[in-house]
């Protein structure tokens, strides 16, 4: 899939062009070129070791590719470290949920927002504005907690939330950070079935707001229900892509991934 120069300048389309990465003699990602436009939910599927998580690590800056480039909002993304990439609007939900367990749910969400009050000059000369901004941030954090279904848990320590609720909390923090692209690594794994329906609805609403959602998922029923587009990876290469029902009907996909 050839990526044109014009496409690279699309403001809110995440572009991967010719991405490859090897570990020793193993080619984990092999010449991957894809586009992730805003408002679309894209699924990455494939067997274990297909390169899905490596691709997430490259996008979020934790691994540098051997070759290729990533474009986001008209600039090359790979020159930045992970924290800068996150500040530029690329947020990630890790498979091993990363919340701050010794502070409350609302404090976790507030950490998603840079606070101008952290600057001593602001505290000294603009304290009224800082207080007003803090109050605004509190209200916004409460809105995101309500959005993910944790409205009644704002003062509960994160360690006292269930695993599934901690995932929802981590997503609320990404939204508080105003992430435009959400990388969700197996978002439904380990979640109580009673929460999965709410999570699916939430992911759909996130995409409807104009954000880009890219997710790794092994539950094909979830893929069929929420994905607008799917890429099937095997041995680091994209071997099939398209609408989920078409990809999952592909003979090679069914043989390699589903064993049918």
């Amino acid at each position: 899939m050839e990526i044109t120069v014009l496409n690279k300048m699309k403001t809110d389309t995440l572009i991967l062009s010719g991405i490859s990465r090897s570990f020793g003699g193993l080619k984990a990602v092999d010449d991957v070129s894809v586009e992730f436009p805003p408002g679309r939910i894209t699924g990455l599927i494939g067997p274990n070791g297909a390169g899905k998580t490596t691709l997430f690590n490259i996008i979020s800056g934790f691994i540098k590719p051997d070759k290729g480039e990533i474009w986001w909002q008209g600039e090359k993304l790979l020159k930045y470290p992970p924290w800068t990439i996150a500040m530029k609007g690329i947020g990630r939900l890790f498979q091993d949920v990363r919340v701050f367990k010794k502070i409350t749910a609302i404090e976790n969400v507030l950490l998603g927002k840079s606070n101008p009050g952290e600057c001593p000059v602001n505290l000294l000369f603009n304290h009224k504005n800082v207080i007003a901004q803090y109050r605004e941030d509190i209200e916004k954090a409460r809105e995101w907690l309500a959005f993910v279904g944790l409205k009644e848990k704002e003062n509960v320590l994160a360690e006292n939330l269930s695993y599934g609720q901690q995932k929802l909390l981590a997503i609320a923090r990404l939204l508080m950070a105003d992430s435009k692209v959400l990388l969700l690594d197996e978002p439904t794994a380990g979640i109580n079935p009673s929460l999965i329906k709410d999570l699916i609805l939430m992911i759909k609403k996130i995409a409807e707001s104009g954000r880009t959602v890219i997710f790794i998922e092994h539950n094909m029923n979830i893929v069929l229900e929420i994905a607008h587009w799917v890429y099937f990876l095997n041995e680091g290469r994209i071997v099939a892509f398209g609408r989920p029902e078409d990809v999952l009907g592909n003979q090679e996909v069914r043989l390699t991934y589903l064993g049918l």
Side-chain angles (χ1 to χ4, degrees):
M1 290 169 286
E2 184 66 24
I3 307 297
T4 67
V5 173
L6 181 61
N7 283 341
K8 291 175 182 177
M9 301 308 295
K10 289 181 180 177
T11 304
D12 289 320
T13 295
L14 181 66
I15 307 292
L16 279 64
S17 180
I19 296 294
S20 294
R21 173 64 198 230
S22 296
F23 297 97
L26 174 65
K27 204 148 198 176
V29 177
D30 188 4
D31 195 27
V32 169
S33 295
V34 294
E35 295 187 10
F36 300 107
R40 177 188 283 180
I41 303 173
T42 302
L44 300 181
I45 65 173
N48 291 331
K52 305 181 298 295
T53 298
T54 299
L55 209 55
F56 268 20
N57 285 334
I58 291 172
I59 294 171
S60 52
F62 290 96
I63 294 175
K64 297 298 182 184
D66 299 323
K67 66 176 183 177
E69 191 52 79
I70 298 178
W71 294 77
W72 166 243
Q73 295 186 330
E75 65 176 338
K76 294 181 179 180
L77 201 64
L78 292 175
K79 60 185 176 182
Y80 296 113
W83 53 90
T84 303
I85 291 173
M87 291 177 64
K88 286 182 174 293
I90 312 289
R92 182 174 178 182
L93 174 71
F94 289 86
Q95 191 173 353
D96 55 327
V97 182
R98 300 182 183 183
V99 296
F100 297 93
K101 296 188 177 183
K102 297 299 182 180
I103 61 176
T104 65
I106 195 165
E107 288 168 337
N108 265 275
V109 177
L110 284 168
L111 287 175
K113 176 71 183 292
S114 298
N115 190 346
E118 293 172 354
C119 173
V121 174
N122 279 324
L123 286 172
L124 184 61
F125 296 107
N126 302 308
H127 62 281
K128 289 184 179 179
N129 290 338
V130 170
I131 291 172
Q133 182 63 57
Y134 180 71
R135 289 173 177 167
E136 183 179 322
D137 290 346
I138 286 284
E139 290 308 308
K140 181 60 69 175
R142 284 177 174 150
E143 289 175 11
W144 287 127
L145 281 173
F147 178 78
V148 301
L150 296 178
K151 180 179 180 180
E152 308 301 324
K153 303 290 185 180
E154 72 169 74
N155 293 316
V156 175
L157 292 178
E159 66 180 356
N160 293 328
L161 298 175
S162 70
Y163 180 72
Q165 289 172 332
Q166 288 181 20
K167 280 195 171 183
L168 296 174
L169 179 59
I171 292 173
R173 191 172 63 205
L174 294 179
L175 295 170
M176 185 71 182
D178 198 26
S179 297
K180 302 300 184 186
V181 177
L182 278 74
L183 308 175
L184 308 180
D185 195 344
E186 297 194 43
T188 67
I191 290 187
N192 189 300
S194 63
L195 283 179
I196 289 180
K197 185 176 181 180
D198 292 336
L199 178 61
I200 288 172
L201 181 61
M202 183 183 69
I203 291 173
K204 289 180 177 179
K205 287 182 177 179
I206 290 171
E208 288 169 0
S209 73
R211 290 175 169 85
T212 301
V213 178
I214 311 165
F215 72 105
I216 296 170
E217 184 58 65
H218 290 287
N219 186 327
M220 293 303 101
N221 290 327
I222 301 296
V223 174
L224 285 168
E225 184 164 356
I226 67 173
H228 300 130
W229 199 255
V230 168
Y231 291 100
F232 175 75
L233 285 84
N234 190 33
E235 297 181 349
R237 297 187 66 87
I238 295 174
V239 296
F241 62 93
R243 295 178 301 177
E245 60 270 24
D246 294 333
V247 172
L248 291 175
N250 179 284
Q251 185 175 357
E252 182 176 356
V253 171
R254 293 175 66 82
L255 180 63
T256 304
Y257 192 53
L258 303 175
L260 299 175

